[in-house]
Amino acid sequence: MKVLLIGSGGREHALAWKLAQSPLLTRLFAAPGNPGIGTVAELVALDPADHAAVIAFCTSESIDLVVVGPEVPLVAGIADDLAAAGIRVFGPSRAAAQLEGSKGYTKDLCAEARIPTAAYRRFTSAGPAKAYVGDRGAPIVVKADGLAAGKGVTVAETVDEAHAAIDACFEGALGTAGAEVVVEEFLAGEEASFFALSDGVTVIPFGTAQDHKRVGEGDTGPNTGGMGAYSPAPIVTPALAARVMDEIIRPTVSTMAKRDAPFRGVLYAGLMITAEGPKLIEYNVRFGDPETQVLMPRLDSDLLALLAAVADGRLAEMSPRWSDDAALTVVMAAEGYPGSHAKGSPIGGLDAAATIHGATVFQAGTALRDGRLVAHGGRVLNVTARGDSIAQAQERAYEAAAKIVWPEGFYRRDIGWRAIGRVVAG
């Protein structure tokens, strides 16, 4: 099969790395890709926002399957346009992608399907939203309705902080993403990521992970796109996973089908494990980043076969196999992230890092300048390792990270602390 992978981050490098291992693959393209992806795929200078150009490329190269990594092209309807051109695609339609494209849409679906989630209200102006916050008190959560590149959620510790977040949305700080605001109850508990594959009818679980969103050690400081992750999530026991499937995932897929927007792709549920059980925080309609970087090393099945089965409506024939190993990834970020940061600093030592047993370095925000690898983003590298436990995977990942030469970068040194502490306490 000829495959085109859309995207350019660490998630796409992990997907490309796994797709390249498939015996079904004859040729792998990536658009636009990055230098790491370029080691396993042919890079194509395509703009994913130019659907006509993507379709023309797929037609000229007789592409058998397009795999869409990021959420923005999906919300913009790239899957619909590819399907209309007769091109197989892994990823949901524009209508189904509203599960990520509109937080209000998802909250309303939860109410309709009686899916456990935080109490909420939707607002289109600041006054009523602030009044609601005043009635409910803090802590409380303020979310921009639309896609905001991970910057649209504020967990407000005070009423004033919530008001400031509401003002920022309606004053245009997040562009059109903040034209509507969802204000919701603060949920106490432990977060986990739960993945499922769906072809619109059949839905199957596809792994768990936990990530560290805060920039600082001890999970302190500003939220980021993720500073590291590990898989599996120890808190998601088999019994809890069954509840997630029965109470959250299956009702979502069946309700989407009833809405004539069948979900085909990967459904990524951000969960809060509360004293009452699992509750949905939000949905993403694509693989997570950096969670994909710890799921792919643990997947023993052929990823391409699974994704093709989703696209073809044959998921009922599939049963993913997973390694008993754990995996952990450490994000190396540019100094200053998640605030302003410089680009262009040279990076070395990746080959040395890859010599550590079980280690793989996935590139995210990188570029080549005069033949040398340089930083070209906020989150730049994902240093990943497998081990027979999260503790061993952590040890190997940090051993590999120590071999990377990048003075302008930084990383947290406690990724996995909660999971390892749970084992020690147990």
Side-chain angles (χ1 to χ4, degrees):
M1 293 175 61
K2 286 186 175 182
V3 176
L4 171 65
L5 173 65
I6 300 290
S8 61
R11 164 185 51 217
E12 286 77 32
H13 189 181
L15 291 172
W17 173 82
K18 190 64 180 178
L19 288 168
Q21 299 169 24
S22 172
L24 301 176
L25 184 73
T26 56
R27 203 169 177 188
L28 178 60
F29 299 94
N34 66 37
I37 297 171
T39 63
V40 292
E42 300 174 53
L43 302 188
V44 184
L46 282 175
D47 179 0
D50 188 344
H51 297 186
V54 173
I55 290 168
F57 175 82
C58 291
T59 302
S60 67
E61 292 291 343
S62 301
I63 296 296
D64 297 298
L65 180 68
V66 177
V67 177
V68 185
E71 66 274 18
V72 173
L74 293 167
V75 172
I78 192 169
D80 306 73
D81 292 342
L82 287 165
I87 299 164
R88 283 197 302 173
V89 58
F90 175 85
S93 66
R94 183 200 307 264
Q98 283 302 292
L99 285 171
E100 181 167 0
S102 169
K103 293 178 175 64
Y105 177 95
T106 297
K107 298 297 286 190
D108 288 351
L109 180 138
C110 287
E112 177 185 338
R114 298 185 179 180
I115 293 169
T117 190
Y120 75 103
R121 286 276 302 276
R122 301 174 69 173
F123 299 95
T124 55
S125 61
K130 290 182 178 180
Y132 181 74
V133 168
D135 290 341
R136 302 284 297 193
I140 199 163
V141 182
V142 178
K143 297 181 176 180
D145 179 71
L147 297 179
K151 300 175 183 178
V153 178
T154 299
V155 180
E157 299 291 340
T158 66
V159 168
D160 285 346
E161 189 180 352
H163 285 181
I166 290 166
D167 284 337
C169 285
F170 289 118
E171 289 171 3
L174 299 173
T176 57
E180 183 175 334
V181 163
V182 175
V183 181
E184 64 180 42
E185 167 194 16
F186 171 80
L187 294 177
E190 186 173 338
E191 290 189 43
S193 301
F194 189 98
F195 297 84
L197 295 178
S198 171
D199 63 7
V201 177
T202 300
V203 59
I204 59 175
F206 196 65
T208 64
Q210 289 182 281
D211 73 337
H212 294 263
K213 291 186 174 65
R214 301 281 186 172
V215 72
E217 292 176 14
D219 294 325
T220 58
N223 268 329
T224 71
M227 293 300 294
Y230 50 90
S231 176
I235 196 172
V236 184
T237 62
L240 187 63
R243 286 190 63 181
V244 172
M245 288 296 293
D246 290 342
E247 299 174 19
I248 297 175
I249 303 296
R250 289 193 182 96
T252 298
V253 172
S254 62
T255 303
M256 293 298 286
K258 291 174 186 174
R259 290 185 172 193
D260 199 27
F263 188 90
R264 302 183 183 95
V266 60
L267 197 54
Y268 161 15
L271 304 174
M272 184 68 76
I273 313 304
T274 72
E276 296 80 34
K279 295 189 177 184
L280 181 69
I281 300 172
E282 64 182 9
Y283 271 130
N284 294 318
V285 298
R286 36 69 187 183
F287 286 107
D289 188 344
E291 293 90 346
T292 306
Q293 291 87 308
V294 290
L295 286 176
M296 292 302 105
R298 295 188 55 242
L299 180 65
D300 283 342
S301 295
D302 183 338
L303 177 65
L304 181 52
L306 287 164
L307 302 190
V310 169
D312 293 341
R314 298 182 291 102
L315 191 57
E317 303 172 7
M318 310 302 286
S319 181
R321 301 182 313 278
W322 296 91
S323 167
D324 291 332
D325 280 357
L328 183 142
T329 191
V330 176
V331 170
M332 299 188 76
E335 199 65 55
Y337 176 80
S340 59
H341 50 270
K343 296 181 180 180
S345 52
I347 302 169
L350 268 65
D351 289 343
T355 65
I356 301 302
H357 183 72
T360 305
V361 181
F362 297 117
Q363 296 183 34
T366 61
L368 288 175
R369 179 179 297 171
D370 299 325
R372 188 167 188 183
L373 190 71
V374 300
H376 193 67
R379 294 186 297 163
V380 176
L381 300 173
N382 307 129
V383 185
T384 307
R386 274 176 57 162
D388 60 16
S389 65
I390 291 173
Q392 186 180 69
Q394 181 198 59
E395 180 182 356
R396 290 173 174 174
Y398 280 112
E399 187 179 356
K403 292 186 176 296
I404 293 175
V405 182
W406 183 32
E408 294 80 7
F410 77 98
Y411 54 94
R412 283 182 53 172
R413 298 175 188 272
D414 64 344
I415 301 302
W417 68 267
R418 188 189 299 272
I420 294 168
R422 176 178 279 107
V423 171
V424 172

